[in-house]
Amino acid sequence: MNLYEHEAKSIFAQFGITIPPGVRITKPEDLRKIHFGFPLTLKCQVLSGGRGKAGGIKFAPNLKEGEEIARTLLDMTIGGSRTESILVEPKVSIARELYLSVTLDRTRGCPIFIGSAEGGVEIESSGKVVTVPIPYPFQPYVARDLAQRLGLTGSLAVKVAALACKLYKAFETLDLDLAEINPLVVTTGEDVLALDGKIIVNDDALGRQEQFKGWQSKHLGDLTERESRSRLMGLNLVELPGDIGILCNGAGLTMATMDMVKKFGGNPATFLDVGGGSDQEKTMFALEIVAENPQVKVILLNILGGITACDDVAEALVGFMKKNPEAKLVVRLRGNNQEVAEEMLSQSGLKLIPDLQTAVGEAIAKSKVPTCAAR
Amino acid sequence: MNLYEHEAKSIFAQFGITIPPGVRITKPEDLRKIHFGFPLTLKCQVLSGGRGKAGGIKFAPNLKEGEEIARTLLDMTIGGSRTESILVEPKVSIARELYLSVTLDRTRGCPIFIGSAEGGVEIESSGKVVTVPIPYPFQPYVARDLAQRLGLTGSLAVKVAALACKLYKAFETLDLDLAEINPLVVTTGEDVLALDGKIIVNDDALGRQEQFKGWQSKHLGDLTERESRSRLMGLNLVELPGDIGILCNGAGLTMATMDMVKKFGGNPATFLDVGGGSDQEKTMFALEIVAENPQVKVILLNILGGITACDDVAEALVGFMKKNPEAKLVVRLRGNNQEVAEEMLSQSGLKLIPDLQTAVGEAIAKSKVPTCAAR
Amino acid sequence: MILVNKNTKVIVQGITGKMGASHTKRMLSYGTKIVGGVTPGKGGETVHGVPVYDTMRQALAASGATCSVIFVPPYTTLDAACEAVDAGVELAVVITEGIPPQDTAKLVAVARAKCVNIIGPNCPGVISPGETLIGILPGVIFKPGPVGMISRSGTLTYEIALVLSDAGHGQSTCVGVGGDPIKGMGYEELLSAFNEDPATDVIVLIGEIGGSAEEEAARHIKEHIRKPVVAYIAGQTAPPGKRMGHAGAIISGGKGTAESKMKAFTAVGVKVATTPGEVVEMVAAARAQSVGR
Amino acid sequence: MILVNKNTKVIVQGITGKMGASHTKRMLSYGTKIVGGVTPGKGGETVHGVPVYDTMRQALAASGATCSVIFVPPYTTLDAACEAVDAGVELAVVITEGIPPQDTAKLVAVARAKCVNIIGPNCPGVISPGETLIGILPGVIFKPGPVGMISRSGTLTYEIALVLSDAGHGQSTCVGVGGDPIKGMGYEELLSAFNEDPATDVIVLIGEIGGSAEEEAARHIKEHIRKPVVAYIAGQTAPPGKRMGHAGAIISGGKGTAESKMKAFTAVGVKVATTPGEVVEMVAAARAQSVGR
């Protein structure tokens, strides 16, 4: 779950990291109540990246222009994510910018600090990136090692190390996937503060992080309406520009099915993993949400029974066909109780195709039939 | 730092461990405001052990007898520790008693759970004691292992394990030397609760445990007035029944000096470790506090200079002799600047004895001189 | 075969749960030596004839098991797996999905310090066909043979095993390493194990988008692996920035694409299939060649 | 000699502090190879000519040191010592007093997992007379010779070394293990090290009341130690229930008395002295006898 900048900053503050003073506004007029003195920085609160390049950060020299800017910013949508509010901050006198984050490193299998002596830029493109693996349990020396590797010395090294300890503490305590400060600013007064930040909370940990209870529905970001609904049902739906709705059990199998559809000339309209169990309600929901998409000409269902019982899936299919007699379905089912499923499906006029490649071929063929005939 | 039972219990509650309802009273009349219904348990709040045997726990069948009992209990002193207050609790319907504690194990070098399926007794004398070392970092399975080794099963095992996790959490979070529940009671309703408890906070951790800020002076327990004053000055004084006041630098050397005094026929009156540094003020304080003790006929100062500079010690001695010209001092000093010290001392009429055994002999001889002549 | 065989004694952690119990039954019917189960507070019960213990220490002491398969809920998995490690298993197979990855990182640190192998989490488990099945894989799909399989996916593994088995290419051992970004055993140690395994002639590696494990595996193959490897990467058509089901399956910042992984494999001489059918063809060719040698 | 010799390269952690700086000077003048110091934020400075680094990783990389001596404040000692362990020292000598014992327990767990030796905390350090001095012991008291010393005490060690040196019984190595209840190296591993050390003929063990380490050492001596051991226990007249200076020096629940420890040693043939003077006599006797053999 991505957080808005202002949320990330309040978490930083909660863990003792200095942030600039700031006020969140949702109407241009709110600007009149802010007494930081101009110029002010106005920042779109969106869940996507690339905000700066998209023009989501502006400097207001005075109130009149500020209100104008605020109006524009509040209307923006960046990377599919609508502006939720504007964060207004006074300008900070910057002596130096750094980059600092904590995230998990797949290769090492542990959290790492990522730092750069150059902040404010795309970290991937900076040549001065330093990574330091964080042993378990954490001790502050790791943060000092980071500061030293960044080339920092003296009291600045000590301050940055202390801040990095706090950032790690937030990362661990709140089950974050990413805790990023960019830029980490050294002011002309040698204070270090988080001028901008990004926090991603681990989705699997939401059930134990009381602090984020109920946040998920407001942080779906650039998901489509159907993707959002699926997410809240615990299903992973990704909508794509094609016309073949793909439903499978298992992420790898779903991707492989998509890949085959594409390879043999079709165009996937959905990636939808219905998961491991044979929950009829979930399967039904999945079929309905794919069918809802007006782009979808044909649904390719590919279930390889391991845990999943084919007859349970068949029952969901029979129910779905009753409600949607015009839907075009290609069904690949294989696994437990396959014969029972075949019998059940045949009564609904559905053929059970045991071979994946054959099913993919059939789905592509059906998708090529002109739309008027398909529905 | 030993805590009173009522303090230990409020810490248990703070960490989610169930305790019986209870009210602390300091006057017999306070009993009238308690509405638990009789009979009530009245328990002396003292810092020493052996309270039960000493008659510090009584059951009051009604208000009249209760007030009488309270009056008696409030006047008690057990093991040198005066009753601070009385903890009043309703009687609990006990199905079973267990013992549970967390402490540090010297041999293994790690914390351990100690448990017994028999509570309420002297744990040392129970044959059913189980110890389980606690690996770092802690995981709850260790507590389940303890419950299983205690022979507990089913939901009781689960409840006791959960409680043990909380006890460990308190132990680690608050830097305790001991977190003990005795008895841990299983009620007839199968609740588990801490009927009595003992907590010792590690003295060296007091500086980082905000919760106990300022507690030390109220928790000196059975220390004598001079021992308490020394403790608050950061000096370790133990008063003994003899007449030779012993001051040394280093715990081992102080004990060894005591042992030699005793071996050669003398009687130590104090164990006083003045520590490693050559702090004149501290040495002065140490000399004064030993001299204050009317039992002390002669002071044996034994300083082996490593870090300690002999001349600094000598300066303190010269100052002390000026203020206390009648004090009998035997000075063994050896180490850095020994010659300078010797010179300084001779001007105060003090002889510097470099050999310990000789100094011990001299101190004993002086202690045998009849008191009237010695002062 | 690697890691497990018909003599491997297994404890099921979370055996009294719905999933634990049903898969215990499946594993038993496959022939797996399930010698005990653990559920705190349920010690003394039995599940499909298997004795249940309160703790792993008890279970191992009573059974001599060296392996654990874990079906406990995600937030208690770290605890359960650390218990298995501390009790002395050699291998813990973590089936549970949805474990916060920082918990997994902690588990990996604890297990590494004690030299215990972890498979998973969020994985289908491991099977040595005809010998033992530890996890939730459908046993009937797998046949004994000389193909070693390593996969980040569950059902896709079944799909490929199915077509391989149908074409007469049985498997020595199949290991599902799981779809999470942080995990126990990875490609490299398993590739090396198959490389040393006399029962394995060809290795099939089933990867997917996200991370750089496949690129690292390619380097490892170049340096250390002599046996032929066939790779398949799922997600060739996945859009960037979207999590494709698995927590680990995401292309971010231009990194972790199927293209990059396929290129890395091709560059070190690993055959890369684009469909399950091609995996079969490439395995057949590799086996024919290795017989020819 | 054991543990350290004239080639041991040492880093001083907390070198810019008052105690760190003054003992660096003393150690240097003894001839100890102090090759660097560490104080966060003070990298680039020098203390008595010794270069100061910000981190242990830097200090070790620059100097090739294998040993660290720690003078940092008690609440930051766990951090500093873990840094030393992680950076790769073989031995860390923790002088700091007043460390909460749970911190020490954590340090011991971390160090054990990496097979790093810890001496202390709350200890005077270690000296191999004429070779190197690591800690705060007064070098002038110690003379080279064949007596190995292990002690829970500081100044008492100096007292006994003094009378031994005066009587011509120099020392191979003296190790102050520290007065805390939880500590790094203990009697048993050091007894074994002296037992294997060709430069050591007699071992002097200086114990005190509290705990059961001496009783365990007696068992260890019986089973593993061939060289003569002379023991001395401080606190023969200490009252029960009172902490005698050291955190670890307390008789509680009737356990940890000097009597019990002396009895345990006597029972396994270890000579037990009751005064420092007797230690000298017993060492002399043991040396005479070993020459006779």
Side-chain angles (χ1 to χ4, degrees):
Chain A
M1 181 173 75
N2 274 352
L3 301 190
Y4 291 102
E5 178 196 1
H6 66 88
E7 293 167 336
K9 280 182 168 166
S10 71
I11 287 171
F12 294 153
Q14 176 187 341
F15 284 84
I17 295 171
T18 308
I19 54 170
V23 174
R24 195 172 138 246
I25 65 169
T26 51
K27 296 189 301 289
E29 309 84 73
D30 291 346
L31 216 50
R32 297 175 202 170
K33 298 177 210 150
I34 295 175
H35 303 292
F36 296 139
F38 287 88
L40 290 172
T41 309
L42 275 64
K43 303 196 269 183
C44 273
Q45 297 299 293
V46 288
L47 292 173
S48 54
R51 177 179 64 174
K53 278 185 193 160
I57 302 175
K58 298 276 185 203
F59 296 96
N62 54 51
L63 182 63
K64 186 156 169 280
E65 288 184 48
E67 288 194 33
E68 201 107 327
I69 289 168
R71 203 160 291 121
T72 320
L73 291 180
L74 282 165
D75 272 346
M76 284 183 88
T77 295
I78 298 174
S81 170
R82 271 195 60 77
T83 297
E84 182 240 20
S85 59
I86 293 172
L87 184 61
V88 182
E89 292 174 350
K91 281 193 89 169
V92 173
S93 62
I94 297 171
R96 186 168 177 185
E97 294 190 349
L98 307 167
Y99 172 95
L100 181 61
S101 69
V102 188
T103 189
L104 283 158
D105 184 85
R106 287 175 179 234
T107 306
R108 295 185 181 97
C110 67
I112 49 168
F113 279 120
I114 304 178
S116 170
E118 282 177 358
V121 297
E122 294 272 311
I123 192 67
E124 289 86 358
S125 63
S126 163
K128 296 184 183 167
V129 171
V130 164
T131 62
V132 178
I134 301 174
Y136 172 65
F138 177 81
Q139 286 293 340
Y141 71 84
V142 184
R144 294 195 296 273
D145 191 28
L146 171 77
Q148 187 273 318
R149 287 177 193 254
L150 287 173
L152 306 178
T153 57
S155 66
L156 183 59
V158 173
K159 283 177 189 170
V160 169
L163 186 144
C165 287
K166 292 169 184 168
L167 193 65
Y168 176 77
K169 179 94 176 157
F171 176 82
E172 186 181 23
T173 309
L174 298 178
D175 271 312
L176 308 181
D177 281 342
L178 175 70
E180 180 185 76
I181 302 178
N182 186 22
L184 173 67
V185 154
V186 185
T187 66
T188 46
E190 261 232 348
D191 286 328
V192 286
L193 57 84
L195 190 59
D196 196 357
K198 184 173 176 181
I199 280 180
I200 304 176
V201 185
N202 183 256
D203 290 330
D204 287 326
L206 289 174
R208 69 180 183 191
Q209 290 294 347
E210 287 296 314
Q211 180 162 352
F212 302 118
K213 215 171 173 177
W215 284 38
Q216 203 180 11
S217 59
K218 289 173 195 157
H219 291 80
L220 294 167
D222 57 354
L223 296 188
T224 67
E225 189 274 335
R226 280 186 295 270
E227 285 174 344
S228 301
R229 254 196 293 148
S230 301
R231 177 73 60 91
L232 297 175
M233 271 289 288
L235 286 174
N236 199 271
L237 169 67
V238 178
E239 297 202 315
L240 302 159
D243 51 17
I244 302 179
I246 297 171
L247 273 90
C248 310
N249 62 333
L253 187 61
T254 316
M255 283 191 275
T257 307
M258 270 173 57
D259 293 347
M260 282 175 80
V261 163
K262 191 80 180 180
K263 183 181 170 81
F264 294 117
N267 285 304
T270 64
F271 164 98
L272 181 50
D273 173 9
V274 297
S278 51
D279 184 330
Q280 285 189 32
E281 201 187 332
K282 230 176 192 175
T283 311
M284 193 64 155
F285 174 88
L287 285 163
E288 300 271 11
I289 208 152
V290 171
E292 257 183 41
N293 182 344
Q295 262 176 234
V296 170
K297 289 191 197 159
V298 52
I299 297 173
L300 169 58
L301 181 90
N302 176 17
I303 303 284
L304 187 56
I307 317 168
T308 316
C310 291
D311 50 338
D312 286 347
V313 177
E315 209 164 308
L317 281 169
V318 168
F320 173 76
M321 286 309 287
K322 259 186 205 146
K323 280 167 71 182
N324 306 272
E326 308 209 330
K328 289 211 167 183
L329 259 171
V330 175
V331 179
R332 191 271 179 137
L333 255 178
R334 190 151 167 183
N336 288 324
N337 307 335
Q338 192 179 320
E339 302 72 25
V340 186
E342 189 155 16
E343 179 62 31
M344 287 164 69
L345 290 180
S346 68
Q347 290 167 7
S348 289
L350 288 171
K351 203 172 76 186
L352 185 153
I353 304 170
D355 175 66
L356 176 55
Q357 203 153 324
T358 313
V360 167
E362 189 137 331
I364 295 169
K366 285 197 178 169
S367 76
K368 302 293 183 195
V369 175
T371 311
C372 51
R375 293 223 158 207
Chain B
M1 182 175 72
N2 274 353
L3 301 190
Y4 290 102
E5 178 196 3
H6 66 87
E7 293 166 336
K9 280 183 169 166
S10 71
I11 287 171
F12 294 154
Q14 177 188 342
F15 284 85
I17 294 171
T18 308
I19 54 170
V23 175
R24 195 173 138 246
I25 65 169
T26 52
K27 298 190 297 288
E29 309 86 76
D30 291 346
L31 215 52
R32 296 176 203 170
K33 298 178 210 150
I34 294 175
H35 302 293
F36 297 140
F38 285 87
L40 290 173
T41 309
L42 275 64
K43 302 196 269 184
C44 272
Q45 297 299 292
V46 287
L47 292 173
S48 55
R51 178 181 60 175
K53 279 187 194 159
I57 302 175
K58 298 275 185 203
F59 297 96
N62 54 51
L63 183 61
K64 185 155 170 280
E65 287 184 48
E67 288 194 32
E68 202 106 329
I69 289 168
R71 203 160 291 122
T72 319
L73 292 181
L74 284 165
D75 274 346
M76 283 183 89
T77 297
I78 298 174
S81 170
R82 269 196 60 78
T83 297
E84 181 239 22
S85 59
I86 293 171
L87 184 61
V88 182
E89 292 175 350
K91 281 194 87 170
V92 173
S93 62
I94 297 172
R96 185 168 177 185
E97 294 190 348
L98 307 168
Y99 172 94
L100 182 60
S101 70
V102 189
T103 190
L104 283 159
D105 184 87
R106 288 175 178 233
T107 305
R108 296 184 180 97
C110 67
I112 50 167
F113 279 121
I114 304 177
S116 170
E118 283 178 357
V121 296
E122 293 273 310
I123 193 66
E124 289 86 358
S125 63
S126 164
K128 298 186 181 166
V129 171
V130 164
T131 62
V132 178
I134 300 173
Y136 172 66
F138 176 80
Q139 286 293 339
Y141 72 84
V142 184
R144 294 195 296 274
D145 190 27
L146 171 75
Q148 188 272 317
R149 286 176 193 255
L150 286 173
L152 306 179
T153 56
S155 65
L156 183 59
V158 172
K159 282 177 190 170
V160 169
L163 185 145
C165 288
K166 292 169 186 168
L167 193 66
Y168 176 77
K169 179 93 177 160
F171 175 83
E172 187 181 23
T173 308
L174 298 178
D175 272 311
L176 307 182
D177 280 342
L178 176 69
E180 179 185 77
I181 302 177
N182 186 22
L184 174 66
V185 153
V186 185
T187 65
T188 45
E190 262 232 348
D191 286 328
V192 287
L193 55 84
L195 191 58
D196 196 357
K198 182 173 178 182
I199 280 179
I200 303 175
V201 185
N202 182 257
D203 290 329
D204 287 326
L206 289 173
R208 70 180 182 190
Q209 292 294 347
E210 288 295 316
Q211 181 162 351
F212 303 118
K213 216 171 173 174
W215 284 37
Q216 205 180 9
S217 59
K218 289 174 198 156
H219 290 79
L220 294 168
D222 56 355
L223 296 189
T224 67
E225 189 276 331
R226 281 185 294 270
E227 285 174 343
S228 301
R229 255 196 294 148
S230 301
R231 177 75 58 92
L232 297 174
M233 272 289 288
L235 285 175
N236 201 269
L237 169 68
V238 178
E239 295 201 317
L240 300 160
D243 51 18
I244 303 179
I246 298 171
L247 273 91
C248 310
N249 62 333
L253 187 60
T254 316
M255 283 191 275
T257 307
M258 270 172 56
D259 293 348
M260 282 174 78
V261 163
K262 190 80 180 178
K263 185 181 169 78
F264 295 117
N267 285 304
T270 64
F271 164 100
L272 180 50
D273 173 10
V274 298
S278 51
D279 185 330
Q280 285 188 32
E281 200 185 334
K282 231 177 191 174
T283 310
M284 194 63 154
F285 174 87
L287 285 163
E288 300 271 11
I289 209 152
V290 171
E292 258 182 41
N293 184 342
Q295 261 175 237
V296 170
K297 291 192 198 161
V298 53
I299 297 175
L300 169 58
L301 180 89
N302 176 17
I303 302 284
L304 186 56
I307 316 167
T308 315
C310 291
D311 50 339
D312 286 349
V313 177
E315 210 163 308
L317 279 169
V318 169
F320 173 76
M321 286 308 288
K322 259 183 207 150
K323 281 167 69 182
N324 306 273
E326 309 209 333
K328 290 210 169 184
L329 259 171
V330 175
V331 179
R332 190 272 180 136
L333 255 176
R334 190 152 169 181
N336 288 323
N337 307 334
Q338 191 178 319
E339 302 73 25
V340 187
E342 190 155 14
E343 180 63 30
M344 287 165 68
L345 290 180
S346 68
Q347 291 169 8
S348 288
L350 288 171
K351 202 173 76 184
L352 186 151
I353 304 171
D355 175 65
L356 176 54
Q357 204 151 323
T358 314
V360 166
E362 190 137 330
I364 295 170
K366 287 198 178 173
S367 75
K368 302 293 184 197
V369 176
T371 311
C372 52
R375 290 224 158 206
Chain C
M1 76 209 75
I2 65 168
L3 296 171
V4 294
N5 60 39
K6 65 176 189 295
N7 299 317
T8 305
K9 291 184 183 174
V10 183
I11 303 292
V12 179
Q13 289 183 262
I15 194 170
T16 59
K18 192 183 157 202
M19 207 173 163
S22 69
H23 284 287
T24 294
K25 194 177 172 189
R26 280 170 185 271
M27 288 188 274
L28 282 170
S29 70
Y30 194 80
T32 304
K33 285 218 168 78
I34 305 287
V35 293
V38 168
T39 300
K42 302 267 173 94
E45 300 184 6
T46 60
V47 172
H48 301 302
V50 173
V52 179
Y53 302 93
D54 281 312
T55 69
M56 279 298 283
R57 195 186 52 80
Q58 271 180 299
L60 261 60
S63 67
T66 56
C67 177
S68 158
V69 58
I70 299 178
F71 290 96
V72 306
Y75 297 162
T76 59
T77 302
L78 173 60
D79 177 14
C82 285
E83 181 179 6
V85 168
D86 195 13
V89 301
E90 293 163 13
L91 174 68
V93 180
V94 186
I95 307 301
T96 309
E97 186 182 344
I99 299 170
Q102 291 195 44
D103 279 10
T104 308
K106 288 171 183 174
L107 168 60
V108 166
V110 168
R112 272 185 197 156
K114 298 236 182 156
C115 300
V116 173
N117 284 323
I118 303 289
I119 293 178
N122 186 18
C123 82
V126 52
I127 184 170
S128 292
E131 297 260 331
T132 192
L133 183 174
I134 299 169
I136 60 172
L137 309 101
V140 65
I141 285 173
F142 299 84
K143 305 286 175 219
V147 180
M149 284 177 70
I150 316 169
S151 173
R152 276 168 71 180
S153 161
T155 44
L156 178 56
T157 313
Y158 313 161
E159 180 72 41
I160 292 174
L162 187 72
V163 288
L164 281 171
S165 295
D166 282 356
H169 307 295
Q171 303 88 38
S172 54
T173 301
C174 298
V175 185
V177 297
D180 278 6
I182 307 294
K183 55 170 79 87
M185 297 188 87
Y187 291 136
E188 299 174 36
E189 41 204 318
L190 292 168
L191 283 165
S192 291
F194 278 128
N195 197 51
E196 300 306 315
D197 173 34
T200 302
D201 293 339
V202 187
I203 305 166
V204 171
L205 185 157
I206 304 165
E208 63 187 31
I209 55 163
S212 57
E214 288 78 6
E215 286 86 341
E216 289 146 23
R219 270 196 296 279
H220 183 79
I221 288 167
K222 188 180 177 192
E223 284 170 31
H224 303 290
I225 307 300
R226 292 163 291 103
K227 294 184 182 172
V229 180
V230 174
Y232 174 87
I233 307 294
Q236 298 156 41
T237 56
K242 300 278 181 182
R243 205 183 98 170
M244 305 302 275
H246 285 157
I250 183 163
I251 298 166
S252 56
K255 300 268 175 71
T257 62
E259 197 192 346
S260 151
K261 293 165 191 300
M262 293 162 84
K263 221 183 244 173
F265 280 127
T266 307
V268 298
V270 168
K271 298 284 175 200
V272 180
T274 58
T275 65
E278 279 182 20
V279 173
V280 178
E281 290 164 26
M282 289 170 179
V283 165
R287 288 187 69 187
Q289 210 169 4
S290 77
V291 168
R293 275 194 299 205
Chain D
M1 75 211 77
I2 63 167
L3 296 171
V4 295
N5 59 39
K6 65 176 189 293
N7 298 317
T8 305
K9 291 183 182 174
V10 183
I11 303 293
V12 179
Q13 290 183 260
I15 194 169
T16 60
K18 190 183 159 204
M19 208 176 161
S22 69
H23 284 287
T24 295
K25 194 176 172 189
R26 281 169 186 272
M27 287 187 274
L28 283 169
S29 69
Y30 194 80
T32 304
K33 285 218 168 79
I34 306 287
V35 295
V38 167
T39 298
K42 302 269 173 92
E45 300 184 4
T46 59
V47 171
H48 301 302
V50 173
V52 179
Y53 303 92
D54 282 312
T55 69
M56 279 299 283
R57 194 185 53 79
Q58 269 182 301
L60 261 61
S63 66
T66 57
C67 177
S68 158
V69 57
I70 300 179
F71 290 96
V72 306
Y75 298 161
T76 58
T77 301
L78 172 60
D79 177 15
C82 285
E83 180 179 8
V85 169
D86 195 14
V89 300
E90 294 163 14
L91 174 68
V93 180
V94 185
I95 306 301
T96 309
E97 186 182 344
I99 299 170
Q102 292 196 43
D103 279 11
T104 308
K106 287 172 184 174
L107 168 60
V108 166
V110 168
R112 271 185 198 156
K114 298 234 183 157
C115 299
V116 173
N117 283 324
I118 303 289
I119 292 178
N122 187 19
C123 81
V126 52
I127 183 169
S128 292
E131 298 259 332
T132 192
L133 184 174
I134 300 169
I136 60 172
L137 309 103
V140 67
I141 285 174
F142 299 85
K143 305 287 176 221
V147 180
M149 284 177 72
I150 316 169
S151 173
R152 275 168 74 180
S153 160
T155 44
L156 177 57
T157 313
Y158 314 161
E159 180 72 42
I160 292 175
L162 187 69
V163 287
L164 281 170
S165 296
D166 282 355
H169 307 293
Q171 304 88 38
S172 53
T173 302
C174 298
V175 185
V177 297
D180 278 6
I182 308 293
K183 53 169 78 89
M185 297 188 87
Y187 292 135
E188 300 175 37
E189 41 205 317
L190 292 168
L191 282 166
S192 291
F194 278 128
N195 197 49
E196 300 306 315
D197 172 34
T200 302
D201 292 338
V202 187
I203 306 166
V204 171
L205 186 156
I206 304 164
E208 63 187 30
I209 55 161
S212 57
E214 288 79 7
E215 286 86 340
E216 290 146 23
R219 269 196 297 279
H220 183 77
I221 289 168
K222 188 182 178 190
E223 285 169 30
H224 303 291
I225 307 300
R226 291 165 291 103
K227 294 185 182 171
V229 180
V230 174
Y232 174 86
I233 307 293
Q236 298 156 41
T237 56
K242 299 278 181 182
R243 205 182 98 170
M244 305 302 277
H246 285 158
I250 183 164
I251 298 166
S252 55
K255 301 266 174 74
T257 63
E259 197 193 347
S260 151
K261 294 167 192 296
M262 292 162 83
K263 219 182 248 173
F265 282 127
T266 306
V268 298
V270 169
K271 298 283 174 204
V272 179
T274 58
T275 65
E278 280 183 20
V279 173
V280 178
E281 289 164 27
M282 288 171 180
V283 165
R287 285 186 70 186
Q289 208 169 6
S290 77
V291 169
R293 272 192 305 204

